Amino acid sequence: MTAGIYAARQKLNTLLITKAFGGQVARKAVAIENYPGFEEISGLELIQRFEKHLRKQKIDIERDSVTKVKKMDKKFIVFTGSKHRFEAEAVILASGADPRPLEVPGEKKFIGRGVSYCSICDGPLFSNKIVAVIGGGNAGFEAAIALSKWAKKIYILEYAPEVGADETNQERVKKIRRTEVITSAALKQIKGKEFVNSIVYQNRKTGKNITLLLEGVFVEIGSQPATSFVKGLVDFNEKDEIKINPRNNQTKTPGLFAAGDVTNVKEKQIIIAAGEGAKTALSTYEYLQKS
Ligand SMILES: Cc1cc2nc3c(=O)[nH]c(=O)nc-3n(C[C@H](O)[C@H](O)[C@H](O)COP(=O)(O)OP(=O)(O)OC[C@H]3O[C@@H](n4cnc5c(N)ncnc54)[C@H](O)[C@@H]3O)c2cc1C
């Protein structure tokens, strides 16, 4: 969205294609406290403000999913899920990251029927139910805090012997009596009939398999860059992030730029993604002036 605002203000003829507004910020379970200008703001409100600002610009917006980007001579062709194709002289990739799946039996089968990747979106469906959050990092702990508004019991399962959440989040979770943190837990299976009714995890210290009866599984084990549609045009690092020239956000293909969490920029934060988006739009403008 920031790249869109900057590109439009440089008077570039700009089309922004997005599946949805908000990206990872829309999944943020507790208030954002580190975006300057807002001491505390919900992810939803911050995103609504970004979108309002974006829509004030002279910019075309398509709600669609990009399935392929191809380079033909000097132009790019962008293909979308609803079978549209767009031509462009330059492309900015800002597709961020998707939640990393668990890849255990039952996960795919029960998506939308007990398995969720967004506590804030789906939490209200689990009112007075028992749920598990898989992942004991900050995202997992924050999901548990959000879920405590609705669920009657929340397990947090962490694969490692120690949780990774910071002290503040650990303190917050301790105060919620209905939470139980289980470490050294390797999730093996999600079970159910029509909906989830249990999970099986292995205690990695004893090797024993343990069943927990519950109705919701919230996956918070990190994210993976959304890059499937640009294979061949960019180089990736070991984390599958797009490698960019840090000076101007150029990928290995001239005219193809990338910004934010989809890239190998070290810090993954809203302010950084926004800054990178601004920088990339300005570099794109410079590139188009010269080409
Ligand atoms: C649970 C959680 C909590 C966080 N908390 C904080 C925090 O408190 N403070 C902070 O600064 N940062 C936080 N972050 C990190 C922050 O959300 C990210 O750094 C930031 O959202 C990255 O922005 P982005 O635009 O690069 O990517 P994203 O937010 O991932 O946005 C990518 C956008 O691209 C779209 N898209 C993806 N693929 C396609 C496609 N093929 N076609 C069309 N559109 C597509 C998506 O729909 C989405 O709108 C948190 C992240 C998570 C997951």
Side-chain angles (χ1 to χ4, degrees), residues 20 38 49 77 82 115 121 130 133 143 169 176 183 197 201 229-230 263:
F38 301 96
R49 284 171 180 261
I77 321 273
S82 57
V115 172
C121 325
I130 303 174
V133 174
N169 277 328
I176 307 165
T183 53
N197 61 23
Y201 75 90
F229 54 93
V230 281
T263 71

Side-chain angles (χ1 to χ4, degrees), residues 10 36 132 172 179 193 215 249:
Q10 291 301 105
R172 283 177 179 163
T179 53
K193 287 191 176 145
E215 286 155 283
N249 292 55

Side-chain angles (χ1 to χ4, degrees), residues 18-20 24 28 34 64 66 95-97 260-261 268-270 273:
T18 189
K19 285 197 278 200
Q24 295 168 75
K28 174 81 180 158
N34 58 3
D64 208 342
V66 173
S95 47
D261 279 22
K268 308 299 197 235
Q269 289 285 284
I270 306 162

Side-chain angles (χ1 to χ4, degrees), residues 165-282:
D166 62 31
E167 289 297 326
T168 315
N169 277 328
Q170 289 194 46
E171 282 303 314
R172 283 177 179 163
V173 163
K174 258 184 214 150
K175 284 188 192 145
I176 307 165
R177 295 242 173 94
R178 290 167 290 119
T179 53
E180 183 178 334
V181 178
I182 306 173
T183 53
S184 299
L187 187 70
K188 292 288 173 195
Q189 196 177 353
I190 300 172
K191 290 177 157 181
K193 287 191 176 145
E194 204 182 330
F195 295 92
V196 170
N197 61 23
S198 59
I199 59 173
V200 180
Y201 75 90
Q202 185 183 51
N203 178 323
R204 295 177 61 228
K205 284 184 187 150
T206 63
K208 256 190 167 177
N209 279 350
I210 296 159
T211 298
L212 295 175
L213 298 179
L214 45 73
E215 286 155 283
V217 179
F218 288 83
V219 184
E220 293 290 355
I221 57 164
S223 45
Q224 58 189 17
T227 58
S228 56
F229 54 93
V230 281
K231 300 250 163 11
L233 292 178
V234 297
D235 284 332
F236 297 102
N237 69 5
E238 66 294 343
K239 294 183 193 158
D240 280 337
E241 297 164 340
I242 296 173
K243 283 191 189 172
I244 50 164
N245 176 343
R247 199 178 57 80
N248 60 8
N249 292 55
Q250 171 82 62
T251 67
K252 77 167 183 189
T253 302
L256 185 60
F257 296 81
D261 279 22
V262 77
T263 71
N264 60 346
V265 68
K266 193 165 158 244
E267 288 83 11
K268 308 299 197 235
Q269 289 285 284
I270 306 162
I271 184 73
I272 291 168
E276 290 283 304
K279 190 172 135 222
T280 307
L282 296 176

